[in-house]
Amino acid sequence: MSIGASRYHEHVTESITITDNRSGESVEIPIDQGGVDSKPWNQLMPGVWFNDPSFGTTAAADSTVTELDGVNGILRYRGYPIEQLAERSSYLEVAYLLVNGELPTAEEFETWRYEITHHTFIHENVRKKFLEGFHHDAHPMGILVATIAALSTFYPEAKDIFDPEVRRKQIVRLIAKMPTLAAGAYRFSRGMPFVYPDNSLDFSANFLSMLFKTAEPRYDANPVLAKALDVLFILHADHEQNCSTTAMRTVGSAHADPYVATAAAASALYGPRHGGANEAVLHMLERIGSIDNVPAFIDRVKAGEERLMGFGHRVYKNFDPRATIIKNTAYEVFDVTGKSPLLDIALKLEEVALADNYFVDRKLYPNVDFYSGLIYQAMGFPMDMFTVLFAIPRVAGWLSHYTELLEQDQRIIRPRQIYVGAGERDYVPFSIR
Ligand code: CMC
């Protein structure tokens, strides 16, 4: 007996067949755009779950936002190659593209730029009570996560998530306020006064002004550094179904408002396996200390005693295209700031790893984080700001996925489990445990 699969079009010719050997029943399921629908499996074998805890083989979304081909090292936002966007676009234009699906006309961009620029201020209570309420040595990422969540209470209308206009307003606010919150967290942790946004500056230059301005009436960032930061923002703006985006979609599927969903996504990004890796790369380079120590370090990695941070990726089994762009950006930044002494160690590590069968066989290549930390450090950012710099542009990607999820009216995300715990047993009192 065969159970039919439904959602597919005439053009689908490839399929798989699953047979339940307990009953002899089979189901043929079409392969549609590289995906196989789970529903016929479920109908064939109710109560038997596909065991994929880290979603290595599970497509959790039909998405139009970002195309990532990890085998061939391809990354495109809404169809546009990342290389072209990094070279010719700006972060604000890319944010528009991600959120709206198309590049803006000149007029649409001007409206967008104006809207973002005029939503950069934060409520004074967010500054006075939240940003300045933390302990003096609070990690800026912890401050950022908490203040993003707190914004939900300042904009209660954000709960009206199915009104496209209301939603758009929160998207503008979040993209605009991220640099202000991030810079505020940094200034507070350094005991420096808060710097208000300067609406005459563009997105990246304004962020640098809020971070580094001291007594001067206007802070004009070095244009090469502002441009480099903008390129890094473009490269980090989205990366399809990564850990933090999955957190965003999971929380969004419960119909939570965009602020708390973004705070959840930012929390996921905080982890060293995800957005915290560039900080871990610098710690690693500092520990290695000199290029002479590189071969011994690589031996320890191969023995499983260390992990080569900034290498490897769940999806890329080839060069991460962002890493290639970042390496070029690093040289432009070092021309201005002077070379980081850790660069030589990084270059040697890359050279040794790429020539070693351990890394070649496992298809481990440098990822986006391998060089980004070196750039941030050269630009004067302390290490605890690195993940914050990742979070600022990723908000555009998170919100694009959030919008897509709501517009597709996806069911609440609720995986199954394979229960492997104790069978039923009776409660026993303390006296006989
Ligand atoms: N150093 C040494 N060995 C590694 C590394 C590494 N960085 N990454 C993977 N491997 C080995 C791993 O030990 C395993 O070997 P074996 O088959 O002998 O057990 C094999 O390669 C497959 O690794 P995996 O752990 O199954 O890979 P994963 O997909 O679960 O992990 C990763 C992906 C990114 C968490 C991992 O590569 C890693 O921890 N890298 C270092 C941290 C890092 O750079 N993270 C930034 C990721 S890019 C930023 C982003 O997009 O969020």
Side-chain angles (χ1 to χ4, degrees):
M1 185 184 149
S2 180
I3 296 169
S6 53
R7 80 171 233 208
Y8 302 98
H9 314 295
E10 295 283 312
H11 71 270
V12 176
T13 52
E14 296 177 327
S15 66
I16 61 158
T17 299
I18 300 172
T19 303
D20 182 345
N21 291 331
R22 299 167 305 178
S23 64
E25 287 188 352
S26 297
V27 62
E28 183 183 0
I29 316 177
I31 300 172
D32 184 23
Q33 305 194 55
V36 171
D37 193 351
S38 65
K39 280 188 223 80
W41 158 303
N42 191 231
Q43 285 165 14
L44 176 72
M45 297 176 290
V48 175
W49 310 117
F50 190 58
N51 190 355
D52 185 24
S54 52
F55 298 161
T57 318
T58 299
D62 283 2
S63 183
T64 61
V65 181
T66 287
E67 186 182 2
L68 201 176
D69 175 347
V71 176
N72 295 305
I74 290 170
L75 175 63
R76 300 183 189 127
Y77 297 160
R78 302 284 190 185
Y80 295 99
I82 192 69
E83 293 81 3
Q84 290 183 25
L85 294 171
E87 193 184 326
R88 299 169 61 184
S89 186
S90 65
Y91 166 65
L92 265 200
E93 188 183 37
V94 165
Y96 182 100
L97 170 69
L98 287 169
V99 168
N100 297 289
E102 297 295 337
L103 285 170
T105 62
E107 201 180 321
E108 284 166 341
F109 180 71
E110 190 40 39
T111 308
W112 174 251
R113 195 198 58 74
Y114 183 90
E115 278 185 299
I116 300 285
T117 307
H118 288 81
H119 284 87
T120 48
F121 276 66
I122 50 175
H123 192 288
E124 273 299 282
N125 278 355
V126 177
R127 178 177 76 78
K128 283 196 280 206
K129 309 278 186 201
F130 286 96
L131 281 177
E132 296 178 4
F134 286 92
H135 200 252
H136 67 91
D137 59 357
H139 194 291
M141 210 40 208
I143 298 180
L144 188 68
V145 166
T147 47
I148 293 170
L151 289 182
S152 162
T153 64
F154 286 82
Y155 305 109
E157 75 274 18
K159 294 196 172 17
D160 199 357
I161 58 171
F162 288 106
D163 182 325
E165 259 319 297
V166 172
R167 210 167 54 218
R168 184 185 147 78
K169 187 74 176 277
Q170 316 319 316
I171 289 174
V172 167
R173 282 182 173 140
L174 267 161
I175 292 174
K177 293 182 200 311
M178 282 296 283
T180 317
L181 293 177
Y186 167 76
R187 300 283 293 200
F188 176 69
S189 69
R190 296 297 176 277
M192 295 180 76
F194 182 82
V195 176
Y196 287 94
D198 180 342
N199 288 354
S200 70
L201 298 172
D202 70 22
F203 192 84
S204 301
N206 181 37
F207 178 48
L208 290 170
S209 159
M210 290 189 286
L211 283 165
F212 298 131
K213 188 171 168 201
T214 46
E216 62 277 55
R218 180 187 153 106
Y219 180 90
D220 281 305
N222 181 303
V224 174
L225 302 187
K227 172 70 188 149
L229 189 60
D230 206 64
V231 169
L232 284 158
F233 283 169
I234 292 172
L235 300 183
H236 286 92
D238 193 49
H239 211 231
E240 53 117 299
Q241 311 301 320
N242 54 83
C243 180
S244 55
T245 302
T246 301
M248 182 87 187
R249 294 186 71 113
T250 303
V251 177
S253 80
H255 292 174
D257 76 55
Y259 297 103
V260 289
T262 300
S267 306
L269 192 72
Y270 196 177
R273 281 173 155 185
H274 189 11
N278 48 18
E279 188 175 337
V281 169
L282 278 205
H283 287 303
M284 174 188 76
L285 295 175
E286 280 173 356
R287 265 193 309 122
I288 295 172
S290 124
I291 52 172
D292 297 339
N293 298 332
V294 166
F297 180 80
I298 291 286
D299 285 345
R300 286 207 300 283
V301 171
K302 286 157 63 179
E305 294 161 15
E306 296 271 7
R307 189 148 272 239
L308 181 48
M309 299 311 287
F311 256 68
H313 200 275
R314 171 61 56 80
V315 181
Y316 290 118
K317 301 303 167 197
N318 198 325
F319 274 92
D320 178 340
R322 302 169 300 173
T324 312
I325 299 168
I326 280 191
K327 200 170 167 183
N328 294 333
T329 306
Y331 286 112
E332 286 163 23
V333 168
F334 293 149
D335 278 346
V336 175
T337 62
K339 198 178 80 174
S340 161
L342 299 178
L343 177 67
D344 289 336
I345 302 175
L347 289 169
K348 186 72 182 168
L349 268 178
E350 184 182 350
E351 182 196 316
V352 173
L354 292 179
D356 191 301
N357 281 345
Y358 175 94
F359 299 92
V360 175
D361 292 349
R362 289 169 178 76
K363 298 188 169 52
L364 300 172
Y365 293 89
N367 60 49
V368 69
D369 289 317
F370 194 64
Y371 287 103
S372 61
L374 287 172
I375 300 181
Y376 294 146
Q377 191 186 48
M379 289 175 73
F381 291 106
M383 276 192 222
D384 58 6
M385 279 296 285
F386 290 1
T387 313
V388 172
L389 294 167
F390 191 154
I392 291 170
R394 184 53 65 87
V395 153
W398 291 332
L399 291 164
S400 307
H401 287 273
Y402 177 86
T403 302
E404 183 174 77
L405 174 106
L406 294 180
E407 287 179 349
Q408 289 174 348
D409 199 16
Q410 189 178 314
R411 295 169 78 200
I412 190 166
I413 294 175
R414 203 303 183 187
R416 300 290 183 148
Q417 66 166 10
I418 310 293
Y419 178 70
V420 294
E424 185 184 4
R425 45 188 174 162
D426 288 329
Y427 178 82
V428 285
F430 279 125
S431 56
I432 55 166
R433 260 182 241 166

